[in-house]
Amino acid sequence: MKKKNSIMGMAFFGPALVLLTLFLFLPMLLTFGFSFTDYFALNPELTHFVGLENYLNIFKDDLFVQSFFNTVKFVVIIVPLQCGGALLLALAINKAAHCKKYFKVAFFVPVVMSLAVVSTLWMQIYSPEGILNTLLANFGIDAQPFIYSAGQALPSIAIMSVWQGVGYQMIIFLGGLQNINPALYEAAEMDHASGWQKFRDITLPELKPLCVFVFITVTIGAFRMLVQPMVMTGGGPDHSTYTIVYDIYETGTVNWEMGLASTMAIVFTVFVVILTIIQNVLTKDKEERKHGNKKAKAN
């Protein structure tokens, strides 16, 4: 019976394993292998093993360094705005007495829209004659260049990205808020706790696992930004919106330098993995200290 179950399990799992091997594991291994070569896609027969040369060269490449810092700036802008905005929207909708379903749909619609479509729409909003500059003119503010300025392009794309993605995290937080035991708030009200105290002592601790999950997923998603600058600015002006993923794309599919692009991809992956581990360790340590304090008080 156990053998039969094992065969049945492999029959269901086998096709998925084959697809994962072909489209995930094998490309990962090839990427790692190509990162140590000078593989040029148009002349693959001239490929040579170059060791760590690619890894040393990319950090001497001013464009790669700039794309790295551009990506970090984008993450620093979008993560607090998107996470904080999603939590505020979830709190507001959770307390709304009417039209909850309408607000959920209204804020979630941009999530299911194509990023290319959203980027094209916001290009019109950010244009010199667009609706945003028209609104600013009504308040006596001069027209702003937005995506046409090296100083404003990256923050402008970040704001658009927050608008597009905040609805997804809002739904996650809404689910967490609705799972909090109402008795906790009732007990707090009996103790005459203020709204801030209830949020600080009940809502945030109960949402802690979700906050960590949202923070990590938003961070990883922000590091993978590609479509927005590709459609809206082409990486400009003056490479101010040129990101790591965009650099990998250009190097591998435009310049055909697959060895160098593979090296960039490996460095990018290692950086994101290290950052994720650091985030997990920091949040885990805080959680352990919190539980330790609670046990000490109980004793």
PDB file of all heavy atoms in Angstrom, residues 234-246:
ATOM      1  N   GLY A 234      13.310  54.629 -20.155  1.00  0.00           N
ATOM      2  CA  GLY A 234      14.420  53.963 -20.843  1.00  0.00           C
ATOM      3  C   GLY A 234      15.700  53.975 -20.033  1.00  0.00           C
ATOM      4  O   GLY A 234      16.798  53.895 -20.583  1.00  0.00           O
ATOM      5  N   GLY A 235      15.580  54.069 -18.716  1.00  0.00           N
ATOM      6  CA  GLY A 235      16.755  54.111 -17.839  1.00  0.00           C
ATOM      7  C   GLY A 235      17.276  55.505 -17.581  1.00  0.00           C
ATOM      8  O   GLY A 235      18.126  55.709 -16.724  1.00  0.00           O
ATOM      9  N   GLY A 236      16.780  56.492 -18.301  1.00  0.00           N
ATOM     10  CA  GLY A 236      17.234  57.882 -18.128  1.00  0.00           C
ATOM     11  C   GLY A 236      16.336  58.648 -17.196  1.00  0.00           C
ATOM     12  O   GLY A 236      15.524  58.037 -16.489  1.00  0.00           O
ATOM     13  N   PRO A 237      16.473  59.962 -17.140  1.00  0.00           N
ATOM     14  CA  PRO A 237      17.523  60.758 -17.813  1.00  0.00           C
ATOM     15  C   PRO A 237      18.892  60.583 -17.133  1.00  0.00           C
ATOM     16  O   PRO A 237      18.961  60.456 -15.908  1.00  0.00           O
ATOM     17  CB  PRO A 237      17.021  62.202 -17.642  1.00  0.00           C
ATOM     18  CG  PRO A 237      15.601  62.105 -17.171  1.00  0.00           C
ATOM     19  CD  PRO A 237      15.486  60.805 -16.456  1.00  0.00           C
ATOM     20  N   ASP A 238      19.923  60.538 -17.934  1.00  0.00           N
ATOM     21  CA  ASP A 238      21.291  60.408 -17.439  1.00  0.00           C
ATOM     22  C   ASP A 238      21.447  59.169 -16.556  1.00  0.00           C
ATOM     23  O   ASP A 238      22.129  59.194 -15.534  1.00  0.00           O
ATOM     24  CB  ASP A 238      21.693  61.673 -16.664  1.00  0.00           C
ATOM     25  CG  ASP A 238      23.188  61.761 -16.455  1.00  0.00           C
ATOM     26  OD1 ASP A 238      23.934  61.157 -17.259  1.00  0.00           O
ATOM     27  OD2 ASP A 238      23.611  62.417 -15.488  1.00  0.00           O
ATOM     28  N   HIS A 239      20.780  58.067 -16.951  1.00  0.00           N
ATOM     29  CA  HIS A 239      20.845  56.791 -16.236  1.00  0.00           C
ATOM     30  C   HIS A 239      20.354  56.888 -14.780  1.00  0.00           C
ATOM     31  O   HIS A 239      20.725  56.058 -13.949  1.00  0.00           O
ATOM     32  CB  HIS A 239      22.265  56.220 -16.246  1.00  0.00           C
ATOM     33  CG  HIS A 239      22.719  55.793 -17.605  1.00  0.00           C
ATOM     34  ND1 HIS A 239      23.628  56.529 -18.339  1.00  0.00           N
ATOM     35  CD2 HIS A 239      22.379  54.747 -18.398  1.00  0.00           C
ATOM     36  CE1 HIS A 239      23.852  55.938 -19.492  1.00  0.00           C
ATOM     37  NE2 HIS A 239      23.103  54.857 -19.568  1.00  0.00           N
ATOM     38  N   SER A 240      19.541  57.877 -14.478  1.00  0.00           N
ATOM     39  CA  SER A 240      19.071  58.061 -13.096  1.00  0.00           C
ATOM     40  C   SER A 240      18.057  57.010 -12.679  1.00  0.00           C
ATOM     41  O   SER A 240      17.805  56.829 -11.484  1.00  0.00           O
ATOM     42  CB  SER A 240      18.462  59.457 -12.927  1.00  0.00           C
ATOM     43  OG  SER A 240      17.347  59.630 -13.785  1.00  0.00           O
ATOM     44  N   THR A 241      17.440  56.305 -13.642  1.00  0.00           N
ATOM     45  CA  THR A 241      16.482  55.235 -13.313  1.00  0.00           C
ATOM     46  C   THR A 241      16.974  53.885 -13.830  1.00  0.00           C
ATOM     47  O   THR A 241      16.182  52.952 -13.973  1.00  0.00           O
ATOM     48  CB  THR A 241      15.097  55.548 -13.915  1.00  0.00           C
ATOM     49  OG1 THR A 241      15.219  55.682 -15.344  1.00  0.00           O
ATOM     50  CG2 THR A 241      14.521  56.829 -13.345  1.00  0.00           C
ATOM     51  N   TYR A 242      18.252  53.802 -14.093  1.00  0.00           N
ATOM     52  CA  TYR A 242      18.847  52.554 -14.579  1.00  0.00           C
ATOM     53  C   TYR A 242      19.071  51.633 -13.390  1.00  0.00           C
ATOM     54  O   TYR A 242      19.827  51.957 -12.475  1.00  0.00           O
ATOM     55  CB  TYR A 242      20.162  52.867 -15.276  1.00  0.00           C
ATOM     56  CG  TYR A 242      20.628  51.828 -16.261  1.00  0.00           C
ATOM     57  CD1 TYR A 242      19.947  51.622 -17.451  1.00  0.00           C
ATOM     58  CD2 TYR A 242      21.764  51.077 -16.010  1.00  0.00           C
ATOM     59  CE1 TYR A 242      20.387  50.684 -18.368  1.00  0.00           C
ATOM     60  CE2 TYR A 242      22.219  50.141 -16.916  1.00  0.00           C
ATOM     61  CZ  TYR A 242      21.525  49.945 -18.092  1.00  0.00           C
ATOM     62  OH  TYR A 242      21.965  49.000 -18.996  1.00  0.00           O
ATOM     63  N   THR A 243      18.409  50.466 -13.358  1.00  0.00           N
ATOM     64  CA  THR A 243      18.472  49.561 -12.217  1.00  0.00           C
ATOM     65  C   THR A 243      19.328  48.339 -12.523  1.00  0.00           C
ATOM     66  O   THR A 243      19.708  48.106 -13.680  1.00  0.00           O
ATOM     67  CB  THR A 243      17.065  49.109 -11.813  1.00  0.00           C
ATOM     68  OG1 THR A 243      16.485  48.360 -12.905  1.00  0.00           O
ATOM     69  CG2 THR A 243      16.173  50.311 -11.496  1.00  0.00           C
ATOM     70  N   ILE A 244      19.578  47.532 -11.503  1.00  0.00           N
ATOM     71  CA  ILE A 244      20.400  46.337 -11.678  1.00  0.00           C
ATOM     72  C   ILE A 244      19.750  45.374 -12.673  1.00  0.00           C
ATOM     73  O   ILE A 244      20.408  44.860 -13.580  1.00  0.00           O
ATOM     74  CB  ILE A 244      20.622  45.630 -10.327  1.00  0.00           C
ATOM     75  CG1 ILE A 244      21.510  46.473  -9.417  1.00  0.00           C
ATOM     76  CG2 ILE A 244      21.264  44.272 -10.535  1.00  0.00           C
ATOM     77  CD1 ILE A 244      21.786  45.838  -8.080  1.00  0.00           C
ATOM     78  N   VAL A 245      18.453  45.121 -12.501  1.00  0.00           N
ATOM     79  CA  VAL A 245      17.766  44.181 -13.396  1.00  0.00           C
ATOM     80  C   VAL A 245      17.763  44.716 -14.819  1.00  0.00           C
ATOM     81  O   VAL A 245      17.913  43.957 -15.784  1.00  0.00           O
ATOM     82  CB  VAL A 245      16.329  43.925 -12.897  1.00  0.00           C
ATOM     83  CG1 VAL A 245      15.593  42.989 -13.851  1.00  0.00           C
ATOM     84  CG2 VAL A 245      16.352  43.330 -11.500  1.00  0.00           C
ATOM     85  N   TYR A 246      17.599  46.040 -14.964  1.00  0.00           N
ATOM     86  CA  TYR A 246      17.649  46.650 -16.297  1.00  0.00           C
ATOM     87  C   TYR A 246      19.043  46.470 -16.900  1.00  0.00           C
ATOM     88  O   TYR A 246      19.185  46.183 -18.101  1.00  0.00           O
ATOM     89  CB  TYR A 246      17.308  48.142 -16.189  1.00  0.00           C
ATOM     90  CG  TYR A 246      16.824  48.773 -17.478  1.00  0.00           C
ATOM     91  CD1 TYR A 246      16.212  50.018 -17.470  1.00  0.00           C
ATOM     92  CD2 TYR A 246      16.987  48.142 -18.703  1.00  0.00           C
ATOM     93  CE1 TYR A 246      15.754  50.615 -18.645  1.00  0.00           C
ATOM     94  CE2 TYR A 246      16.542  48.719 -19.881  1.00  0.00           C
ATOM     95  CZ  TYR A 246      15.927  49.952 -19.839  1.00  0.00           C
ATOM     96  OH  TYR A 246      15.480  50.520 -21.001  1.00  0.00           O
TER      97      TYR A 246
END
